[in-house]
Amino acid sequence: MSVYAILFDQTLCVGCRACEEACQQENHQPPHQAEGLDAESLTWVEDLGDENYARHLCMHCENPTCASVCPVAALQKSPLGPVTWSAERCIGCRYCMLACPFHVPRYQWNSPNPELRKCQMCAHRLAQGRPTACAEACPTGATTFGRRRTLLREGRNRIESDPETYLETIYGRQEAGGTSVLMLLGRTCGTAHLPANVPPYDLPRLTWGVLEKLPLIIPVWGVFLGGVYWLTQRREAVARAEGAEKGEQQ
Amino acid sequence: MSRRLGFWTGFFVLLMMLFSIVIVRRFTGGLGAVSNLNDEMPWGLWIGFDLLSGVALAAGGFTITAIVYLLHLERYRPIVRPALLTAFLGYLMVIAALLVDLGRPWNIWHPLIFWNPHSVMFEVGWCVMLYTTVLFLEFLPLVFERFRIHRALLFWSRYLTPPLVIAGVLLSTLHQSSLGTLYVIVPEKLHPLWYSPILPLLFFVSAIALGLAMTNVESFLSLRAFGKRLEPEILRGLGRATAVTLLLYLTLRFEDLYVRGVLGQAFVLDTASIFFLLEVGLGAILPMAMLFTRQVRRRPLALLGAQLLVVLGLIFQRMNVAVTAFQLGTGASYTPDWQEFVVSIGLVAIGFAAFALAVRLLPVFPEGPVRHPEPTDPFSALAP
Ligand code: SF4
Ligand code: SF4
Ligand code: SF4
């Protein structure tokens, strides 16, 4: 389990977009109002209507699908929490985008030297012992940063003390095997803004279940093929020898 | 020589001009300038057709070498070389397509130094790289023969061919199936009629069927284009083998749907079901029934038709996994840009031209290099 996490409490969010602004500044992007996640918007505050809002950002999965599928390990999970991307390694195959269960990674489609873009959980700040820029900027405490363990406990307390307001589960405790971004969902907000069908287990185990068998399959299959070659070759040689014998007898 | 040649030359030249323009746009303006790929649909036509179908279409290489060198069914020896040539060119075209599709193609060699054994793509990358090398080595004897380097030829066929063939079959087993494994990690994004935990097995078995069918089709084309004679028995044998492999594939496919409890969805006649029925009905069951029929196998044109259906049906299956099922599962919107088609068709055309050139320079067919192609040969127009 990773050390740090972000807790987003939907019921406290007032839609001021301070997190968007702080994020853009931290990542040296021109300030703008996000209209969804894209290469220049790593977080997005969605207006759900009726004073309800939802934040979107990379969930920083505990066992990230994106990192598991990346052929060159350009995406890596740090034990601190962040899942980060390395420009030096990436080949631009976009398998991470295909596989991410939260539909997060974004791509610079119109660049000849494209980068993959997603929230890096302000890994450079964490390394200096500082919280993420979005958490620091949030004026209402809707986005907070801290130890994952502590935030889980905090979330549970809030839900238990006010079950009328909150849905009973912490989003991100189980989703895709658990994430480093945790969300408390308001009963009035609905769940339509959440990605559909996120499985409650980590996805990398599905392909690993196939891949881990390869070291066993390869030798057996190799021996089998070699054996077939040897056997049929012998059969042919024997047939030829028999043919020759017959020829001699005649 | 005539109008027909003129037409094909013109077509090829025009296509290559368009192709070059698109490639320039691709490398100056990025993928967005030439494709309709987007953040919700990061893989499209190039992955579905050029990669998934391309690799499967080249499966004839390992299938036929296995039949001749491992099972020692000598009858099929005359088609080993054309099948190897197709496979080798096929893989080169796949790599070319990847260079277009990858966002940062100058890093394509990175899997060599940055390892991630958890990634299916990592494994596919290594296998494709190794197998292309194996194909090259398997193909070298043709060059030796052409230049009469008898010692090397003898050494090769005695000591190197058997291990190379075994390595080729092993590597092909791995990555043909792994192309299916690529999608095992997205159960929530693929429509249940296509998502399956046994996708690797389905991809492997169908690749064999596709490889056999493609070899059959290609033998016909060579027959016509280069005036080659092939024993009809070879083609009928390929037809029978394709039929049996398809039966195996269909059995697995339907068992899997049944076990996962989604067989009913195949017949509700919504979009997914119609795509599925077209794919399985027209692209697998119908040609299988045809190939099991002796009268069809005895008529060259009927046999060709059946095998063409197999080829189209299985390309459709790959495209359905990569595009249709993904769209139905995620609601992503994507229709390939015309420039995406130009790249795909352009690469196929380059492959054909290279084939036509190679059969002229090298002893690909049993009678040696093609010297006087038939006047109606559409391919001769493609070679210089
Ligand atoms: S949410 Fe997606 S991009 Fe973020 S860590 Fe998880 S799998 Fe990776
Ligand atoms: S696009 Fe880059 S980061 Fe994503 S999987 Fe491919 S190589 Fe890895
Ligand atoms: S953690 Fe950093 S990069 Fe991620 S949304 Fe917050 S400010 Fe942006």
Side-chain angles (χ1 to χ4, degrees):
Chain A
M1 198 166 88
S2 56
V3 183
Y4 295 110
I6 293 173
L7 177 69
F8 173 65
D9 185 332
Q10 196 172 26
T11 67
L12 298 178
C13 180
V14 294
C16 70
R17 299 174 182 270
C19 52
E20 271 185 18
E21 204 179 305
C23 177
Q24 289 160 13
Q25 197 178 353
E26 190 67 32
N27 290 291
H28 314 290
Q29 292 160 331
H32 62 282
Q33 181 163 335
E35 276 156 12
L37 292 185
D38 57 51
E40 299 301 321
S41 316
L42 310 186
T43 187
W44 167 46
V45 179
E46 184 182 0
D47 189 344
L48 302 173
D50 290 334
E51 309 271 294
N52 289 323
Y53 303 93
R55 266 196 80 187
H56 294 264
L57 70 164
C58 168
M59 299 294 288
H60 298 280
C61 306
E62 293 284 277
N63 193 352
T65 313
C66 59
S68 154
V69 300
C70 177
V72 289
L75 289 155
Q76 288 188 356
K77 172 86 176 170
S78 136
L80 287 183
V83 176
T84 54
W85 175 80
S86 142
E88 286 72 51
R89 291 187 171 214
C90 177
I91 61 175
C93 69
R94 312 182 298 285
Y95 193 11
C96 49
M97 309 179 64
L98 184 96
C100 168
F102 297 100
H103 304 244
V104 165
R106 293 296 186 266
Y107 195 71
Q108 290 181 319
W109 292 103
N110 292 311
S111 160
N113 184 13
E115 290 190 359
L116 184 96
R117 288 288 177 81
K118 68 174 204 65
C119 155
Q120 310 258 57
M121 206 173 163
C122 289
H124 58 292
R125 292 173 60 109
L126 263 61
Q128 304 160 350
R130 293 153 71 209
T132 65
C134 52
E136 198 175 74
C138 181
T140 66
T143 298
T144 49
F145 174 84
R147 295 194 161 257
R148 188 169 188 270
R149 211 180 283 258
T150 322
L151 291 180
L152 274 173
R153 205 178 315 120
E154 169 70 24
R156 217 165 294 133
N157 286 344
R158 287 191 208 171
I159 291 172
E160 272 163 22
S161 63
D162 194 357
E164 311 273 279
T165 312
Y166 293 104
L167 286 180
E168 57 276 9
T169 52
I170 301 180
Y171 190 78
R173 199 179 68 84
Q174 287 270 312
E175 278 65 26
T179 60
S180 288
V181 172
L182 305 166
M183 294 188 179
L184 298 181
L185 306 173
R187 284 199 180 269
T188 56
C189 303
T191 51
H193 61 282
L194 299 169
N197 313 328
V198 178
Y201 53 86
D202 63 311
L203 290 159
R205 74 165 70 160
L206 295 179
T207 38
W208 184 239
V210 180
L211 286 176
E212 71 174 349
K213 298 202 182 75
L214 293 187
L216 305 176
I217 294 174
I218 295 171
V220 174
W221 191 220
V223 168
F224 175 79
L225 294 172
V228 167
Y229 168 74
W230 189 70
L231 286 173
T232 50
Q233 185 196 38
R234 269 191 59 83
R235 207 178 54 200
E236 214 172 64
V238 170
R240 218 180 292 135
E242 275 174 0
E245 255 169 44
K246 267 189 207 139
E248 270 167 29
Q249 279 166 8
Q250 277 167 5
Chain B
M1 299 238 342
S2 63
R3 282 229 195 106
R4 245 181 106 175
L5 285 193
F7 171 74
W8 283 103
T9 316
F11 176 74
F12 186 70
V13 169
L14 201 73
L15 186 61
M16 284 305 108
M17 276 161 60
L18 269 179
F19 182 80
S20 322
I21 295 172
V22 174
I23 294 296
V24 169
R25 286 168 59 96
R26 152 71 186 86
F27 284 101
T28 49
L31 284 171
V34 295
S35 78
N36 283 337
L37 295 170
N38 56 67
D39 286 329
E40 283 299 322
M41 195 71 198
W43 286 3
L45 177 71
W46 293 336
I47 295 290
F49 180 73
D50 298 62
L51 179 67
L52 299 187
S53 308
V55 168
L57 283 168
F62 90 88
T63 317
I64 304 296
T65 49
I67 288 175
V68 173
Y69 292 108
L70 297 188
L71 297 177
H72 290 96
L73 296 176
E74 283 298 323
R75 191 203 299 156
Y76 295 94
R77 194 175 278 276
I79 55 171
V80 165
R81 286 178 167 188
L84 267 181
L85 176 61
T86 313
F88 184 44
L89 293 174
Y91 276 82
L92 291 183
M93 291 308 116
V94 167
I95 293 172
L98 278 179
L99 289 173
V100 178
D101 182 79
L102 289 179
R104 305 157 75 90
W106 47 91
N107 287 342
I108 193 172
W109 55 280
H110 272 183
L112 287 175
I113 53 165
F114 300 122
W115 286 30
N116 180 11
H118 282 259
S119 164
V120 181
M121 184 76 87
F122 170 76
E123 191 229 313
V124 171
W126 268 88
C127 282
V128 166
M129 199 169 57
L130 290 176
Y131 186 51
T132 310
T133 315
V134 166
L135 279 171
F136 172 72
L137 294 176
E138 284 183 315
F139 192 73
L140 260 190
L142 275 76
V143 181
F144 295 149
E145 193 176 307
R146 169 73 179 73
F147 294 102
R148 305 210 164 78
I149 312 174
H150 293 300
R151 257 162 205 251
L153 190 61
L154 206 65
F155 175 78
W156 222 262
S157 58
R158 186 164 298 169
Y159 299 107
L160 285 184
T161 302
L164 280 174
V165 168
I166 293 177
V169 176
L170 251 177
L171 290 165
S172 296
T173 317
L174 290 181
H175 69 274
Q176 292 286 2
S177 56
S178 291
L179 289 176
T181 320
L182 283 177
Y183 288 88
V184 166
I185 205 161
V186 288
E188 82 285 12
K189 292 187 181 176
L190 275 200
H191 189 280
L193 283 177
W194 285 276
Y195 178 82
S196 158
I198 63 159
L199 269 176
L201 194 57
L202 293 175
F203 266 55
F204 178 62
V205 176
S206 57
I208 295 178
L210 188 47
L212 290 167
M214 193 57 198
T215 311
N216 203 333
V217 170
E218 164 206 300
S219 304
F220 270 111
L221 290 182
S222 314
L223 220 61
R224 259 182 63 83
F226 306 113
K228 293 289 145 195
R229 289 257 141 263
L230 271 186
E231 271 183 68
E233 200 33 50
I234 292 185
L235 303 182
R236 284 180 211 147
L238 286 174
R240 281 196 300 269
T242 315
V244 173
T245 320
L246 275 180
L247 183 58
L248 182 62
Y249 165 72
L250 285 168
T251 312
L252 284 167
R253 187 83 199 265
F254 279 99
E255 264 182 15
D256 168 65
L257 292 176
Y258 176 73
V259 168
R260 288 186 296 114
V262 293
L263 190 53
Q265 292 190 32
F267 303 101
V268 295
L269 296 184
D270 57 358
T271 316
S273 144
I274 290 170
F275 271 79
F276 173 84
L277 291 176
L278 280 178
E279 173 198 314
V280 169
L282 282 185
I285 296 178
L286 175 67
M288 179 186 71
M290 289 170 76
L291 291 171
F292 269 126
T293 316
R294 169 187 282 225
Q295 286 87 332
V296 171
R297 289 198 307 270
R298 290 194 168 272
R299 289 207 187 90
L301 274 185
L303 179 56
L304 174 67
Q307 294 288 38
L308 267 178
L309 273 183
V310 177
V311 170
L312 294 178
L314 289 175
I315 292 179
F316 192 46
Q317 186 264 341
R318 299 300 200 260
M319 291 298 296
N320 277 343
V321 170
V323 180
T324 320
F326 195 80
Q327 282 186 309
L328 291 170
T330 61
S333 69
Y334 166 76
T335 329
D337 192 278
W338 65 270
Q339 301 174 95
E340 289 176 65
F341 286 109
V342 168
V343 170
S344 292
I345 299 171
L347 286 172
V348 172
I350 294 175
F352 268 103
F355 189 94
L357 186 62
V359 297
R360 234 166 266 198
L361 298 177
L362 296 168
V364 174
F365 295 111
E367 301 89 342
V370 177
R371 300 232 176 266
H372 304 289
E374 303 276 285
T376 50
D377 156 26
F379 302 90
S380 64
L382 306 181

